[in-house]
Amino acid sequence: MITVAVDCMGGDVGVGVTLPACEAFLASHPQAHLLLVGQPEVLKKARPQLLNNVRCRVVPASEVVAMDDPIEVALRKKKDSSMRVAIQQVKDGAAQAAVSAGNTGALMAISRYLLKTLEGIDRPAIASQLPNARGGATTVLDLGANVDCTAEHLLQFAVMGSALVVAITGKPEPTVGLLNVGEEVIKGSDVIKKAGVLLRNAANTGDLNFFGNVEGDDIFKGSADIVVCDGFVGNVALKASEGLATMISGLIREAFSKNILTKMAAIIAYPVLSSFKKRVDHRRYNGAALLGLRGLVFKSHGSADAFAFEQALGRAYDAAHNGLLSSVQERIAHAAPLLSPAGVPSEIKSIPTL
Amino acid sequence: MITVAVDCMGGDVGVGVTLPACEAFLASHPQAHLLLVGQPEVLKKARPQLLNNVRCRVVPASEVVAMDDPIEVALRKKKDSSMRVAIQQVKDGAAQAAVSAGNTGALMAISRYLLKTLEGIDRPAIASQLPNARGGATTVLDLGANVDCTAEHLLQFAVMGSALVVAITGKPEPTVGLLNVGEEVIKGSDVIKKAGVLLRNAANTGDLNFFGNVEGDDIFKGSADIVVCDGFVGNVALKASEGLATMISGLIREAFSKNILTKMAAIIAYPVLSSFKKRVDHRRYNGAALLGLRGLVFKSHGSADAFAFEQALGRAYDAAHNGLLSSVQERIAHAAPLLSPAGVPSEIKSIPTL
């Protein structure tokens, strides 16, 4: 039995989004159980019928982490927040995963504090999926947890990302691309070149399926199943893409609403445009994994609607159901010799100016 | 009189693109002169009538830098390449700007070698424009010349980018955003935090108009006129955006060509879609500036068509016409105290772990 703890108060909207999503999720996942974490009176008022569902239980939490709360406030002052209590359920074994649409920085800090990182992992990473031209999705990490990374961190991200893709999609040997400014091994900074050596070595020992260097456009081409990068680069690439997608959809809308003729064209083109829109609907990919912790935590977009939040719940459920945590642990343990100084091949030591 | 030296042999296509572009450019710029650099017999055969234009002159160059030539080959072996001879024209004062669609690495290396960097500039940067939701364009730099940068480099980019936007658009006080993972000053790596201090200081001394931190989506929102970042981040953001735009246009095409009904919808929606396409046409923004050199060099996309290459020629002409070189020089000289150790305010020295 899989139980997911839900921070029902988090996100831009709170219960108005999270509770309808929980209801839909329970309907589509007949084996799943939910812990609804939040202020009981608010939950009850918002969705009384949900609380009667036998696969739901309310776990009271008196406080709420605001979207703009500084990390210190969320971590030190609001000890009874719905976010924290939800993660505590995972720590206590009452739930196998937690989901929150709250403030990312606070969620990462509280998760690290309560759950701790896995052995062999220096820093947790945030992984999410982006739709690609092959009709699938590319998993990208890190998306902002770590603004600067060493080559070893990038290797850890690659190993964790591989475990995530296996657990979520079932694909047995997903490929890993190293995000760079060119495909050639001589390109990039010293950290990237060293990471390339580590990843090639990990491929040789069977720890992952290394595709090689990839460039920014490969994320959307779907050249590799997983793309690893530091959190600064990943965050910029993600947000730039969101910005471009928003601009393009705004311009399409504008072009079709210019005058009576374009509006008529819009009516005729509507079914086509909406099938296109469905293909690139970012809500379908909602639910980023916080990887590298001793427990599963998923982050929903703060502005998610009920459909998007439901996807995040589904992703958390699948990850728990498919044993993501133990799979990450096993893969990291197997790759451990590559991460220790003794395991660094001589090839790496000879890279100049490291 | 402004003369632009054109590497006619560069790019994926060569003379088939560059010469028609030169012809169109001369027609729309009645004051401009061109030096057509390349193999005279190839130029003559491809476009005999162009060579009769009194505002054109052929400058012979026997070799061509291939798109995949390593930098060393381009720089050391092909000393009579059309790329190199074009840049030499700028150095000799025969032209006020050079344009090439050849290999970026080779163009930057040859430009640096022949022209040298301006006083006060450690590293040249590549700056280009991206369309934004405000109907204008955001100038982003660096787009790949420097894979890792110090805070001082980012300040130099900001100053050079400001001069570029003034010269190209005529906007008197363009705003500069520092690309980061959040808007708050406490966000980002140590380099970014230090760059934030330097940029705020430069704003106080009137050297630039600092907007503050921006995120990836602000490039397309058009929040600031100029966005500065290191070349790794800039390159990834640019290519990820290109990849997403390609994917979206592919999906739109696919959706409209699914069956006879969608094809009919496409015919009706065609004028609207093509007006939209024109708005985001990246060809209009072709022509990246190599800034920080003692001469003006512009890089066209290797796959540019004649329309796109003509835009790059126009951009180079405008930059020369509006005195970009002396404006960059003046701005850098004015900002010099900020870049020397004595000019670093105490605030910066106190940032920990730099």
Side-chain angles (χ1 to χ4, degrees), chain A residues 132-133 179-180 215-217 220 232 236 239-241 244 247-248 251 254-255 272 276 279-280, chain B residues 132-133 179-180 215-217 220 232 236 239-241 244 247-248 251 254-255 272 276 279-280:
Chain A
N132 65 38
L179 193 57
N180 202 345
E215 300 187 66
D217 50 349
F220 295 102
F232 194 98
V236 167
K239 290 195 179 148
S241 308
L244 176 60
M247 179 180 92
I248 290 178
L251 289 175
E254 201 185 298
V272 186
F276 152 73
R279 273 288 295 278
V280 290
Chain B
N132 65 39
L179 194 57
N180 202 345
E215 300 188 65
D217 51 349
F220 296 102
F232 193 99
V236 168
K239 290 196 179 147
S241 307
L244 176 60
M247 179 180 92
I248 290 178
L251 290 175
E254 201 185 299
V272 186
F276 152 73
R279 272 290 293 278
V280 290

mmCIF file of all heavy atoms in Angstrom, chain A residues 132-133 179-180 215-217 220 232 236 239-241 244 247-248 251 254-255 272 276 279-280, chain B residues 132-133 179-180 215-217 220 232 236 239-241 244 247-248 251 254-255 272 276 279-280:
data_model
loop_
_atom_site.group_PDB
_atom_site.id
_atom_site.type_symbol
_atom_site.label_atom_id
_atom_site.label_comp_id
_atom_site.label_asym_id
_atom_site.label_seq_id
_atom_site.Cartn_x
_atom_site.Cartn_y
_atom_site.Cartn_z
ATOM 1 N N ASN A 132 9.553 16.731 -25.309
ATOM 2 C CA ASN A 132 10.491 16.843 -26.426
ATOM 3 C C ASN A 132 9.838 16.476 -27.756
ATOM 4 O O ASN A 132 8.710 15.973 -27.795
ATOM 5 C CB ASN A 132 11.764 16.030 -26.157
ATOM 6 C CG ASN A 132 11.520 14.534 -26.084
ATOM 7 O OD1 ASN A 132 10.723 13.989 -26.834
ATOM 8 N ND2 ASN A 132 12.209 13.874 -25.168
ATOM 9 N N ALA A 133 10.575 16.770 -28.835
ATOM 10 C CA ALA A 133 10.024 16.625 -30.187
ATOM 11 C C ALA A 133 9.767 15.171 -30.557
ATOM 12 O O ALA A 133 9.078 14.886 -31.538
ATOM 13 C CB ALA A 133 10.969 17.266 -31.199
ATOM 14 N N LEU A 179 25.142 18.477 -20.380
ATOM 15 C CA LEU A 179 24.862 19.756 -21.046
ATOM 16 C C LEU A 179 26.148 20.565 -21.186
ATOM 17 O O LEU A 179 26.874 20.782 -20.218
ATOM 18 C CB LEU A 179 23.823 20.547 -20.244
ATOM 19 C CG LEU A 179 23.184 21.744 -20.943
ATOM 20 C CD1 LEU A 179 22.505 21.346 -22.240
ATOM 21 C CD2 LEU A 179 22.180 22.431 -20.029
ATOM 22 N N ASN A 180 26.420 20.987 -22.428
ATOM 23 C CA ASN A 180 27.677 21.679 -22.702
ATOM 24 C C ASN A 180 27.451 22.695 -23.828
ATOM 25 O O ASN A 180 26.356 22.800 -24.373
ATOM 26 C CB ASN A 180 28.740 20.640 -23.091
ATOM 27 C CG ASN A 180 30.159 21.154 -22.875
ATOM 28 O OD1 ASN A 180 30.392 22.344 -22.697
ATOM 29 N ND2 ASN A 180 31.114 20.244 -22.907
ATOM 30 N N GLU A 215 23.791 19.820 -26.305
ATOM 31 C CA GLU A 215 23.640 21.274 -26.237
ATOM 32 C C GLU A 215 22.210 21.616 -25.839
ATOM 33 O O GLU A 215 21.355 20.728 -25.751
ATOM 34 C CB GLU A 215 24.019 21.887 -27.582
ATOM 35 C CG GLU A 215 25.466 21.572 -27.949
ATOM 36 C CD GLU A 215 25.926 22.315 -29.194
ATOM 37 O OE1 GLU A 215 26.022 23.546 -29.149
ATOM 38 O OE2 GLU A 215 26.193 21.652 -30.209
ATOM 39 N N GLY A 216 21.975 22.901 -25.609
ATOM 40 C CA GLY A 216 20.667 23.344 -25.131
ATOM 41 C C GLY A 216 19.498 22.841 -25.960
ATOM 42 O O GLY A 216 18.458 22.441 -25.423
ATOM 43 N N ASP A 217 19.663 22.829 -27.283
ATOM 44 C CA ASP A 217 18.540 22.414 -28.140
ATOM 45 C C ASP A 217 18.238 20.915 -28.026
ATOM 46 O O ASP A 217 17.132 20.477 -28.337
ATOM 47 C CB ASP A 217 18.775 22.809 -29.606
ATOM 48 C CG ASP A 217 20.129 22.382 -30.122
ATOM 49 O OD1 ASP A 217 20.978 21.956 -29.306
ATOM 50 O OD2 ASP A 217 20.357 22.460 -31.342
ATOM 51 N N PHE A 220 15.068 19.719 -26.098
ATOM 52 C CA PHE A 220 13.777 19.652 -26.786
ATOM 53 C C PHE A 220 13.787 18.717 -27.990
ATOM 54 O O PHE A 220 12.738 18.286 -28.446
ATOM 55 C CB PHE A 220 13.310 21.058 -27.155
ATOM 56 C CG PHE A 220 13.045 21.882 -25.932
ATOM 57 C CD1 PHE A 220 13.956 22.834 -25.507
ATOM 58 C CD2 PHE A 220 11.917 21.653 -25.157
ATOM 59 C CE1 PHE A 220 13.738 23.561 -24.343
ATOM 60 C CE2 PHE A 220 11.685 22.367 -23.998
ATOM 61 C CZ PHE A 220 12.602 23.328 -23.586
ATOM 62 N N PHE A 232 22.281 26.365 -11.711
ATOM 63 C CA PHE A 232 22.175 27.703 -12.286
ATOM 64 C C PHE A 232 21.764 27.595 -13.751
ATOM 65 O O PHE A 232 20.790 28.191 -14.200
ATOM 66 C CB PHE A 232 23.516 28.450 -12.152
ATOM 67 C CG PHE A 232 23.403 29.920 -12.414
ATOM 68 C CD1 PHE A 232 23.303 30.816 -11.373
ATOM 69 C CD2 PHE A 232 23.390 30.413 -13.712
ATOM 70 C CE1 PHE A 232 23.184 32.189 -11.619
ATOM 71 C CE2 PHE A 232 23.264 31.776 -13.966
ATOM 72 C CZ PHE A 232 23.165 32.659 -12.914
ATOM 73 N N VAL A 236 18.087 28.533 -15.481
ATOM 74 C CA VAL A 236 17.991 29.526 -16.559
ATOM 75 C C VAL A 236 17.370 28.895 -17.807
ATOM 76 O O VAL A 236 16.475 29.476 -18.430
ATOM 77 C CB VAL A 236 19.370 30.139 -16.882
ATOM 78 C CG1 VAL A 236 19.327 30.924 -18.188
ATOM 79 C CG2 VAL A 236 19.843 31.035 -15.739
ATOM 80 N N LYS A 239 13.583 28.330 -17.185
ATOM 81 C CA LYS A 239 12.788 29.566 -17.162
ATOM 82 C C LYS A 239 12.805 30.268 -18.509
ATOM 83 O O LYS A 239 11.796 30.859 -18.909
ATOM 84 C CB LYS A 239 13.274 30.485 -16.052
ATOM 85 C CG LYS A 239 12.907 29.904 -14.688
ATOM 86 C CD LYS A 239 13.034 30.916 -13.582
ATOM 87 C CE LYS A 239 12.634 30.283 -12.253
ATOM 88 N NZ LYS A 239 13.391 30.859 -11.143
ATOM 89 N N ALA A 240 13.934 30.221 -19.226
ATOM 90 C CA ALA A 240 13.973 30.825 -20.562
ATOM 91 C C ALA A 240 12.967 30.107 -21.457
ATOM 92 O O ALA A 240 12.226 30.742 -22.214
ATOM 93 C CB ALA A 240 15.378 30.754 -21.150
ATOM 94 N N SER A 241 12.903 28.790 -21.339
ATOM 95 C CA SER A 241 11.963 28.017 -22.154
ATOM 96 C C SER A 241 10.521 28.360 -21.795
ATOM 97 O O SER A 241 9.666 28.517 -22.671
ATOM 98 C CB SER A 241 12.193 26.517 -21.961
ATOM 99 O OG SER A 241 13.543 26.216 -22.176
ATOM 100 N N LEU A 244 9.768 31.719 -23.292
ATOM 101 C CA LEU A 244 9.558 31.665 -24.743
ATOM 102 C C LEU A 244 8.199 31.046 -25.062
ATOM 103 O O LEU A 244 7.464 31.553 -25.919
ATOM 104 C CB LEU A 244 10.685 30.868 -25.403
ATOM 105 C CG LEU A 244 10.547 30.655 -26.905
ATOM 106 C CD1 LEU A 244 10.507 31.986 -27.651
ATOM 107 C CD2 LEU A 244 11.700 29.803 -27.436
ATOM 108 N N MET A 247 5.535 33.539 -24.434
ATOM 109 C CA MET A 247 5.531 34.576 -25.468
ATOM 110 C C MET A 247 4.873 34.059 -26.742
ATOM 111 O O MET A 247 4.025 34.727 -27.332
ATOM 112 C CB MET A 247 6.958 35.027 -25.766
ATOM 113 C CG MET A 247 7.019 36.084 -26.853
ATOM 114 S SD MET A 247 8.699 36.634 -27.227
ATOM 115 C CE MET A 247 9.120 35.533 -28.554
ATOM 116 N N ILE A 248 5.251 32.846 -27.153
ATOM 117 C CA ILE A 248 4.700 32.290 -28.395
ATOM 118 C C ILE A 248 3.195 32.096 -28.279
ATOM 119 O O ILE A 248 2.447 32.478 -29.181
ATOM 120 C CB ILE A 248 5.407 30.958 -28.759
ATOM 121 C CG1 ILE A 248 6.855 31.255 -29.185
ATOM 122 C CG2 ILE A 248 4.658 30.222 -29.870
ATOM 123 C CD1 ILE A 248 7.683 30.027 -29.525
ATOM 124 N N LEU A 251 1.517 35.401 -28.563
ATOM 125 C CA LEU A 251 1.525 35.952 -29.923
ATOM 126 C C LEU A 251 0.524 35.234 -30.825
ATOM 127 O O LEU A 251 -0.105 35.857 -31.675
ATOM 128 C CB LEU A 251 2.938 35.861 -30.527
ATOM 129 C CG LEU A 251 3.983 36.812 -29.932
ATOM 130 C CD1 LEU A 251 5.348 36.537 -30.542
ATOM 131 C CD2 LEU A 251 3.605 38.268 -30.178
ATOM 132 N N GLU A 254 -2.805 36.583 -29.889
ATOM 133 C CA GLU A 254 -2.909 37.947 -30.406
ATOM 134 C C GLU A 254 -3.193 37.942 -31.913
ATOM 135 O O GLU A 254 -4.058 38.676 -32.384
ATOM 136 C CB GLU A 254 -1.572 38.642 -30.124
ATOM 137 C CG GLU A 254 -1.605 40.143 -30.102
ATOM 138 C CD GLU A 254 -0.193 40.703 -29.924
ATOM 139 O OE1 GLU A 254 0.436 40.419 -28.883
ATOM 140 O OE2 GLU A 254 0.276 41.405 -30.843
ATOM 141 N N ALA A 255 -2.447 37.087 -32.637
ATOM 142 C CA ALA A 255 -2.612 37.040 -34.095
ATOM 143 C C ALA A 255 -4.023 36.615 -34.470
ATOM 144 O O ALA A 255 -4.615 37.153 -35.410
ATOM 145 C CB ALA A 255 -1.576 36.084 -34.707
ATOM 146 N N VAL A 272 -7.431 22.118 -34.090
ATOM 147 C CA VAL A 272 -6.027 21.825 -34.388
ATOM 148 C C VAL A 272 -5.120 22.464 -33.343
ATOM 149 O O VAL A 272 -4.220 21.832 -32.789
ATOM 150 C CB VAL A 272 -5.649 22.356 -35.790
ATOM 151 C CG1 VAL A 272 -4.243 21.917 -36.149
ATOM 152 C CG2 VAL A 272 -6.643 21.868 -36.832
ATOM 153 N N PHE A 276 -2.594 20.704 -30.593
ATOM 154 C CA PHE A 276 -1.195 21.108 -30.465
ATOM 155 C C PHE A 276 -0.885 21.504 -29.030
ATOM 156 O O PHE A 276 0.123 21.099 -28.440
ATOM 157 C CB PHE A 276 -0.893 22.272 -31.424
ATOM 158 C CG PHE A 276 0.190 23.175 -30.968
ATOM 159 C CD1 PHE A 276 1.521 22.765 -31.014
ATOM 160 C CD2 PHE A 276 -0.096 24.443 -30.462
ATOM 161 C CE1 PHE A 276 2.535 23.605 -30.566
ATOM 162 C CE2 PHE A 276 0.911 25.280 -30.014
ATOM 163 C CZ PHE A 276 2.227 24.857 -30.063
ATOM 164 N N ARG A 279 -0.319 18.744 -26.674
ATOM 165 C CA ARG A 279 0.989 18.096 -26.820
ATOM 166 C C ARG A 279 2.068 18.788 -25.973
ATOM 167 O O ARG A 279 2.966 18.131 -25.442
ATOM 168 C CB ARG A 279 1.450 18.133 -28.299
ATOM 169 C CG ARG A 279 0.976 16.994 -29.158
ATOM 170 C CD ARG A 279 1.647 15.665 -28.860
ATOM 171 N NE ARG A 279 3.064 15.605 -29.137
ATOM 172 C CZ ARG A 279 3.601 15.388 -30.320
ATOM 173 N NH1 ARG A 279 2.832 15.194 -31.368
ATOM 174 N NH2 ARG A 279 4.896 15.338 -30.475
ATOM 175 N N VAL A 280 1.998 20.108 -25.916
ATOM 176 C CA VAL A 280 3.059 20.826 -25.198
ATOM 177 C C VAL A 280 2.592 21.322 -23.823
ATOM 178 O O VAL A 280 3.255 22.133 -23.199
ATOM 179 C CB VAL A 280 3.591 22.029 -26.029
ATOM 180 C CG1 VAL A 280 4.380 21.547 -27.224
ATOM 181 C CG2 VAL A 280 2.472 22.946 -26.463
ATOM 182 N N ASN B 132 11.338 39.760 -28.041
ATOM 183 C CA ASN B 132 10.639 39.658 -26.763
ATOM 184 C C ASN B 132 9.163 40.015 -26.895
ATOM 185 O O ASN B 132 8.723 40.508 -27.933
ATOM 186 C CB ASN B 132 11.337 40.477 -25.669
ATOM 187 C CG ASN B 132 11.310 41.969 -25.930
ATOM 188 O OD1 ASN B 132 10.322 42.503 -26.403
ATOM 189 N ND2 ASN B 132 12.402 42.643 -25.621
ATOM 190 N N ALA B 133 8.416 39.726 -25.817
ATOM 191 C CA ALA B 133 6.954 39.864 -25.843
ATOM 192 C C ALA B 133 6.514 41.312 -25.952
ATOM 193 O O ALA B 133 5.357 41.588 -26.251
ATOM 194 C CB ALA B 133 6.354 39.219 -24.598
ATOM 195 N N LEU B 179 21.542 38.106 -15.237
ATOM 196 C CA LEU B 179 20.828 36.822 -15.256
ATOM 197 C C LEU B 179 21.162 36.015 -14.004
ATOM 198 O O LEU B 179 22.325 35.810 -13.674
ATOM 199 C CB LEU B 179 21.215 36.034 -16.518
ATOM 200 C CG LEU B 179 20.334 34.834 -16.861
ATOM 201 C CD1 LEU B 179 18.884 35.227 -17.024
ATOM 202 C CD2 LEU B 179 20.823 34.143 -18.122
ATOM 203 N N ASN B 180 20.101 35.585 -13.313
ATOM 204 C CA ASN B 180 20.297 34.901 -12.033
ATOM 205 C C ASN B 180 19.166 33.885 -11.834
ATOM 206 O O ASN B 180 18.263 33.777 -12.659
ATOM 207 C CB ASN B 180 20.317 35.950 -10.908
ATOM 208 C CG ASN B 180 21.031 35.451 -9.653
ATOM 209 O OD1 ASN B 180 21.277 34.255 -9.491
ATOM 210 N ND2 ASN B 180 21.335 36.355 -8.762
ATOM 211 N N GLU B 215 15.533 36.733 -14.375
ATOM 212 C CA GLU B 215 15.547 35.280 -14.537
ATOM 213 C C GLU B 215 15.402 34.934 -16.015
ATOM 214 O O GLU B 215 15.174 35.817 -16.850
ATOM 215 C CB GLU B 215 14.431 34.660 -13.702
ATOM 216 C CG GLU B 215 14.603 34.977 -12.221
ATOM 217 C CD GLU B 215 13.620 34.224 -11.341
ATOM 218 O OE1 GLU B 215 13.689 32.990 -11.279
ATOM 219 O OE2 GLU B 215 12.763 34.887 -10.721
ATOM 220 N N GLY B 216 15.549 33.644 -16.318
ATOM 221 C CA GLY B 216 15.530 33.204 -17.713
ATOM 222 C C GLY B 216 14.325 33.703 -18.508
ATOM 223 O O GLY B 216 14.458 34.096 -19.674
ATOM 224 N N ASP B 217 13.145 33.709 -17.876
ATOM 225 C CA ASP B 217 11.950 34.118 -18.620
ATOM 226 C C ASP B 217 11.939 35.612 -18.938
ATOM 227 O O ASP B 217 11.248 36.046 -19.865
ATOM 228 C CB ASP B 217 10.660 33.711 -17.876
ATOM 229 C CG ASP B 217 10.654 34.150 -16.428
ATOM 230 O OD1 ASP B 217 11.710 34.576 -15.928
ATOM 231 O OD2 ASP B 217 9.595 34.057 -15.788
ATOM 232 N N PHE B 220 12.599 36.802 -22.592
ATOM 233 C CA PHE B 220 11.493 36.860 -23.552
ATOM 234 C C PHE B 220 10.367 37.797 -23.115
ATOM 235 O O PHE B 220 9.555 38.212 -23.928
ATOM 236 C CB PHE B 220 10.978 35.449 -23.857
ATOM 237 C CG PHE B 220 12.036 34.628 -24.534
ATOM 238 C CD1 PHE B 220 12.764 33.677 -23.840
ATOM 239 C CD2 PHE B 220 12.347 34.863 -25.865
ATOM 240 C CE1 PHE B 220 13.767 32.958 -24.458
ATOM 241 C CE2 PHE B 220 13.359 34.149 -26.490
ATOM 242 C CZ PHE B 220 14.065 33.188 -25.792
ATOM 243 N N PHE B 232 28.654 30.237 -21.000
ATOM 244 C CA PHE B 232 28.083 28.891 -20.894
ATOM 245 C C PHE B 232 26.564 28.996 -20.742
ATOM 246 O O PHE B 232 25.799 28.393 -21.502
ATOM 247 C CB PHE B 232 28.698 28.154 -19.694
ATOM 248 C CG PHE B 232 28.412 26.679 -19.688
ATOM 249 C CD1 PHE B 232 29.354 25.776 -20.152
ATOM 250 C CD2 PHE B 232 27.194 26.183 -19.238
ATOM 251 C CE1 PHE B 232 29.085 24.410 -20.168
ATOM 252 C CE2 PHE B 232 26.915 24.822 -19.258
ATOM 253 C CZ PHE B 232 27.870 23.934 -19.720
ATOM 254 N N VAL B 236 23.634 28.038 -23.552
ATOM 255 C CA VAL B 236 22.597 27.036 -23.258
ATOM 256 C C VAL B 236 21.208 27.661 -23.385
ATOM 257 O O VAL B 236 20.313 27.075 -24.001
ATOM 258 C CB VAL B 236 22.796 26.430 -21.849
ATOM 259 C CG1 VAL B 236 21.570 25.632 -21.423
ATOM 260 C CG2 VAL B 236 24.038 25.535 -21.814
ATOM 261 N N LYS B 239 20.428 28.202 -27.142
ATOM 262 C CA LYS B 239 20.169 26.967 -27.894
ATOM 263 C C LYS B 239 18.920 26.255 -27.390
ATOM 264 O O LYS B 239 18.183 25.654 -28.191
ATOM 265 C CB LYS B 239 21.386 26.048 -27.835
ATOM 266 C CG LYS B 239 22.525 26.641 -28.655
ATOM 267 C CD LYS B 239 23.601 25.632 -28.963
ATOM 268 C CE LYS B 239 24.693 26.279 -29.800
ATOM 269 N NZ LYS B 239 26.007 25.700 -29.498
ATOM 270 N N ALA B 240 18.663 26.311 -26.079
ATOM 271 C CA ALA B 240 17.433 25.696 -25.562
ATOM 272 C C ALA B 240 16.229 26.412 -26.183
ATOM 273 O O ALA B 240 15.262 25.767 -26.597
ATOM 274 C CB ALA B 240 17.389 25.778 -24.039
ATOM 275 N N SER B 241 16.310 27.726 -26.295
ATOM 276 C CA SER B 241 15.203 28.494 -26.878
ATOM 277 C C SER B 241 15.032 28.144 -28.352
ATOM 278 O O SER B 241 13.910 27.978 -28.834
ATOM 279 C CB SER B 241 15.463 29.994 -26.741
ATOM 280 O OG SER B 241 15.743 30.304 -25.401
ATOM 281 N N LEU B 244 13.382 24.772 -28.506
ATOM 282 C CA LEU B 244 11.953 24.815 -28.184
ATOM 283 C C LEU B 244 11.165 25.429 -29.336
ATOM 284 O O LEU B 244 10.099 24.921 -29.716
ATOM 285 C CB LEU B 244 11.736 25.620 -26.895
ATOM 286 C CG LEU B 244 10.280 25.833 -26.478
ATOM 287 C CD1 LEU B 244 9.571 24.507 -26.250
ATOM 288 C CD2 LEU B 244 10.194 26.693 -25.221
ATOM 289 N N MET B 247 10.813 22.932 -32.042
ATOM 290 C CA MET B 247 9.846 21.892 -31.674
ATOM 291 C C MET B 247 8.416 22.412 -31.828
ATOM 292 O O MET B 247 7.560 21.727 -32.411
ATOM 293 C CB MET B 247 10.074 21.443 -30.230
ATOM 294 C CG MET B 247 9.093 20.380 -29.780
ATOM 295 S SD MET B 247 9.351 19.840 -28.079
ATOM 296 C CE MET B 247 8.254 20.933 -27.201
ATOM 297 N N ILE B 248 8.163 23.615 -31.336
ATOM 298 C CA ILE B 248 6.809 24.167 -31.406
ATOM 299 C C ILE B 248 6.371 24.351 -32.855
ATOM 300 O O ILE B 248 5.260 23.963 -33.229
ATOM 301 C CB ILE B 248 6.715 25.501 -30.623
ATOM 302 C CG1 ILE B 248 6.832 25.213 -29.118
ATOM 303 C CG2 ILE B 248 5.407 26.232 -30.928
ATOM 304 C CD1 ILE B 248 6.800 26.444 -28.243
ATOM 305 N N LEU B 251 5.528 21.030 -34.316
ATOM 306 C CA LEU B 251 4.260 20.480 -33.816
ATOM 307 C C LEU B 251 3.057 21.188 -34.427
ATOM 308 O O LEU B 251 2.041 20.560 -34.709
ATOM 309 C CB LEU B 251 4.206 20.574 -32.285
ATOM 310 C CG LEU B 251 5.141 19.638 -31.519
ATOM 311 C CD1 LEU B 251 5.062 19.925 -30.026
ATOM 312 C CD2 LEU B 251 4.781 18.175 -31.779
ATOM 313 N N GLU B 254 2.758 19.828 -37.880
ATOM 314 C CA GLU B 254 2.247 18.456 -37.788
ATOM 315 C C GLU B 254 0.740 18.452 -37.502
ATOM 316 O O GLU B 254 -0.016 17.715 -38.141
ATOM 317 C CB GLU B 254 2.995 17.765 -36.646
ATOM 318 C CG GLU B 254 3.006 16.255 -36.673
ATOM 319 C CD GLU B 254 3.674 15.723 -35.413
ATOM 320 O OE1 GLU B 254 4.872 16.019 -35.190
ATOM 321 O OE2 GLU B 254 2.991 15.019 -34.633
ATOM 322 N N ALA B 255 0.321 19.313 -36.561
ATOM 323 C CA ALA B 255 -1.097 19.353 -36.188
ATOM 324 C C ALA B 255 -1.963 19.774 -37.376
ATOM 325 O O ALA B 255 -3.047 19.243 -37.581
ATOM 326 C CB ALA B 255 -1.297 20.315 -35.008
ATOM 327 N N VAL B 272 -2.919 34.257 -40.748
ATOM 328 C CA VAL B 272 -2.694 34.557 -39.334
ATOM 329 C C VAL B 272 -1.387 33.922 -38.871
ATOM 330 O O VAL B 272 -0.554 34.553 -38.214
ATOM 331 C CB VAL B 272 -3.865 34.022 -38.477
ATOM 332 C CG1 VAL B 272 -3.703 34.458 -37.037
ATOM 333 C CG2 VAL B 272 -5.195 34.487 -39.031
ATOM 334 N N PHE B 276 2.071 35.713 -37.501
ATOM 335 C CA PHE B 276 2.688 35.314 -36.231
ATOM 336 C C PHE B 276 4.147 34.919 -36.445
ATOM 337 O O PHE B 276 5.055 35.318 -35.723
ATOM 338 C CB PHE B 276 1.900 34.149 -35.612
ATOM 339 C CG PHE B 276 2.730 33.248 -34.745
ATOM 340 C CD1 PHE B 276 3.151 33.665 -33.494
ATOM 341 C CD2 PHE B 276 3.103 31.986 -35.191
ATOM 342 C CE1 PHE B 276 3.938 32.841 -32.703
ATOM 343 C CE2 PHE B 276 3.881 31.161 -34.408
ATOM 344 C CZ PHE B 276 4.300 31.586 -33.152
ATOM 345 N N ARG B 279 6.529 37.686 -36.773
ATOM 346 C CA ARG B 279 6.853 38.338 -35.499
ATOM 347 C C ARG B 279 8.027 37.666 -34.796
ATOM 348 O O ARG B 279 8.838 38.323 -34.146
ATOM 349 C CB ARG B 279 5.644 38.297 -34.546
ATOM 350 C CG ARG B 279 4.657 39.423 -34.656
ATOM 351 C CD ARG B 279 5.165 40.767 -34.172
ATOM 352 N NE ARG B 279 5.419 40.841 -32.741
ATOM 353 C CZ ARG B 279 4.494 41.066 -31.834
ATOM 354 N NH1 ARG B 279 3.253 41.272 -32.189
ATOM 355 N NH2 ARG B 279 4.804 41.121 -30.556
ATOM 356 N N VAL B 280 8.088 36.336 -34.883
ATOM 357 C CA VAL B 280 9.137 35.624 -34.149
ATOM 358 C C VAL B 280 10.254 35.141 -35.070
ATOM 359 O O VAL B 280 11.091 34.347 -34.669
ATOM 360 C CB VAL B 280 8.568 34.419 -33.351
ATOM 361 C CG1 VAL B 280 7.731 34.895 -32.191
ATOM 362 C CG2 VAL B 280 7.764 33.490 -34.237
#
